[in-house]
Amino acid sequence: MDTERSRNLFHRAQRRIPGGVNSPVRAFKAVGGHPRFIDRGEGAYMVDVDGHRYVDHVMSWGALILGHAHASVVADLTETLRAGTSFGAPCPAEVELAERICKAMPAVQKVRMVNSGTEAVMSALRVARAFTQRKKIVKFAGCYHGHADMLLVEAGSGVATLGLPDSPGVPEATVADTLVARYNDADSVRSILEAFPGEVAAVIVEPVAGNMGLVLPEEGFLEALRALTSEHNALLVFDEVMTGFRVGPGGAQGRFGITPDMTTLGKVIGGGLPVGAFGGRAEIMDLVAPEGPVYQAGTLSGNPLAMQAGLTTLRELDEPGVWSQLAASSEATVEVLNNSAREAGVPISVSSVGAMFGYFLTDDAITDWDSAAGLDRSLFARFYQVMLESGVYLAPSPFESGFVSTVHGDAEREILGAAADAAFQAVASE
Ligand SMILES: *Cc1c(COP(=O)(O)O)cnc(C)c1O
């Protein structure tokens, strides 16, 4: 495969952009080779600068649930664009998007728009600490909540340990109040809450974990988190930046019937433009300035262009049958991977929920970060390269989820199947 233009761009980029990319996982470090520079997106496909066409299962990391350059999104954005991109003053689309989010997620009574998931989580936890007048935050090993200092904590053993910073530049004091529990292990949360009575402000969780590969919550796990946080007067924060409007119309909270105190959103609600949001019960959100004393602000927050991309996307998702079609599509997608792997004798375990899917190249059950971290990474790298050469763009890491859009169909699954046959056979014959 001739990828000269991508390679040249990557060389130029590395001279002027750290690692040549503006977000680390794009650099292909986990799979080897160099990233593809993308010229354009067309529905379920991306075309790189060397003219290669890929079925895209990254979908801008989940943001593009309607596929690339969806006709209604493009039309509405074009109209909005003509009227100006940002006013630094309120606009009608903000109100409409807030209303839509609150309607879809009744636990969100009020919501504030921001520009990224990171910002949403960082702001939500500030409010949670102010509301509870407590300092400590409990997160789970293997859950990603953006790159705010206090959450960049080493994926520790599941024991109730004090976190250590995961990155240079994060002072230990910043994460001294971050405690790490084990995903799918409510007892690890109970131990922390009991060890620090009256000190935990919030337990933050990806209600469906999508950032250690796709790991579903086991039966009763989310219910136990709800009960434990209530019992200890800590807030339960669902980080639905990935799962909101992705695992179902009401996010994971709607799907599993759990009412969190606060919710963070991003990705799909921005329809491919930079948007995040945090919301929750009105009494909590009323602490946010200017209603309350907790400062939070943004020059470009709620700009009409980003709001319109989100609005049009959510409006399209209201069409009847969309969610059952998306679920069937992700199910069929993992079935294709499953069949190819089994035929080649390569171990695999697959799962899907809503418009999200996951696959691990192992027969073992992956239920938390400890089990995920042990996966064979070189096997994945080899698999990945053949998939890419065969025209399928998957997330370049064994610890990411896959995504389908409303425009992924049989034709794309056929390309996927042929690629997977080749990739698994290549892996098996090594
Ligand atoms: C992507 C993601 C974030 C961070 O969002 P950004 O927009 O990349 O800052 C936070 N939490 C979860 C669960 C995510 O998937």
Side-chain angles (χ1 to χ4, degrees):
M1 184 179 244
D2 176 11
T3 57
E4 197 188 339
R5 285 185 175 166
S6 275
R7 218 172 34 244
N8 288 343
L9 277 164
F10 193 45
H11 284 142
R12 271 172 61 197
Q14 282 172 303
R15 294 183 58 202
R16 295 300 175 205
I17 302 171
V21 291
N22 281 310
S23 198
V25 74
R26 297 179 198 168
F28 276 41
K29 291 256 188 215
V31 293
H34 61 83
R36 302 301 187 264
F37 282 66
I38 304 304
D39 178 58
R40 62 187 187 277
E42 296 171 351
Y45 298 84
M46 290 201 298
V47 181
D48 72 15
V49 291
D50 291 287
H52 305 298
R53 205 172 151 80
Y54 307 92
V55 173
D56 181 12
H57 281 298
V58 180
M59 286 286 126
S60 196
W61 301 94
L64 299 174
I65 201 163
L66 307 178
H68 293 277
H70 185 276
S72 332
V73 176
V74 171
D76 290 355
L77 281 183
T78 305
E79 197 184 320
T80 305
L81 186 59
R82 292 212 169 94
T85 53
S86 181
F87 308 130
C91 68
E94 296 171 272
V95 189
E96 239 182 283
L97 187 56
E99 285 171 349
R100 252 185 193 276
I101 289 170
C102 294
K103 188 163 174 232
M105 296 179 170
V108 179
Q109 294 174 331
K110 287 193 178 180
V111 61
R112 168 65 56 91
M113 300 298 168
V114 295
N115 304 290
S116 70
T118 295
E119 212 188 317
V121 170
M122 184 185 87
S123 310
L125 293 182
R126 180 182 304 145
V127 176
R129 282 170 158 170
F131 182 78
T132 55
Q133 298 180 15
R134 296 172 176 186
K135 280 192 209 159
K136 296 200 186 297
I137 302 292
V138 177
K139 79 174 285 286
F140 294 87
C143 281
Y144 179 67
H145 302 292
H147 65 90
D149 278 2
M150 65 183 154
L151 290 161
L152 277 187
V153 174
E154 198 165 24
S157 68
V159 199
T161 44
L162 281 166
L164 289 174
D166 221 8
S167 164
V170 177
E172 276 176 34
T174 318
V175 292
D177 290 312
T178 307
L179 302 148
V180 182
R182 187 198 285 256
Y183 199 76
N184 275 327
D185 180 357
D187 283 339
S188 70
V189 178
R190 185 193 318 273
S191 317
I192 293 175
L193 290 168
E194 286 172 0
F196 299 97
E199 290 188 64
V200 173
V203 173
I204 184 166
V205 66
E206 285 184 70
V208 170
N211 286 288
M212 49 176 143
L214 177 61
V215 176
L216 298 174
E218 285 174 355
E219 180 112 33
F221 175 59
L222 297 173
E223 288 81 356
L225 294 186
R226 180 62 281 180
L228 281 166
T229 45
S230 297
E231 187 186 323
H232 289 265
N233 297 313
L235 299 187
L236 179 61
V237 182
F238 271 13
D239 182 353
E240 298 228 42
V241 170
M242 186 183 287
T243 54
F245 301 95
R246 177 52 76 178
V247 303
Q253 51 197 272
R255 191 175 181 103
F256 297 105
I258 308 282
T259 304
D261 300 294
M262 297 190 81
T263 299
T264 53
L265 294 164
K267 299 191 170 115
V268 172
I269 64 155
L273 269 77
V275 181
F278 65 100
R281 287 210 310 274
E283 62 167 331
I284 301 171
M285 290 303 290
D286 282 344
L287 283 181
V288 178
E291 184 84 16
V294 179
Y295 194 69
Q296 193 284 325
T299 301
L300 295 174
S301 295
N303 72 75
L305 206 57
M307 295 297 98
Q308 190 57 54
L311 268 179
T312 305
T313 300
L314 298 194
R315 192 188 67 215
E316 291 288 327
L317 290 176
D318 277 349
E319 291 293 312
V322 165
W323 286 102
S324 54
Q325 180 219 324
L326 283 167
S329 174
S330 51
E331 240 176 85
T333 300
V334 288
E335 233 359 78
V336 167
L337 292 173
N338 196 44
N339 290 340
S340 291
R342 303 261 161 225
E343 213 154 284
V346 176
I348 192 168
S349 66
V350 300
S351 56
S352 71
V353 52
M356 233 170 126
F357 66 88
Y359 60 100
F360 291 113
L361 302 187
T362 176
D363 279 328
D364 301 336
I366 304 292
T367 57
D368 60 11
W369 177 244
D370 280 349
S371 45
L375 288 168
D376 182 338
R377 297 171 197 211
S378 59
L379 187 75
F380 180 84
R382 178 78 191 115
F383 164 77
Y384 187 86
Q385 289 299 342
V386 182
M387 291 301 284
L388 192 65
E389 279 159 27
S390 311
V392 177
Y393 194 89
L394 296 164
S397 157
F399 305 117
E400 302 287 353
S401 297
F403 302 99
V404 298
S405 75
T406 50
V407 292
H408 283 76
D410 289 336
E412 289 70 38
R413 283 191 292 275
E414 217 159 280
I415 296 172
L416 178 75
D421 285 347
F424 284 121
Q425 270 154 30
V427 165
S429 67
E430 271 187 4

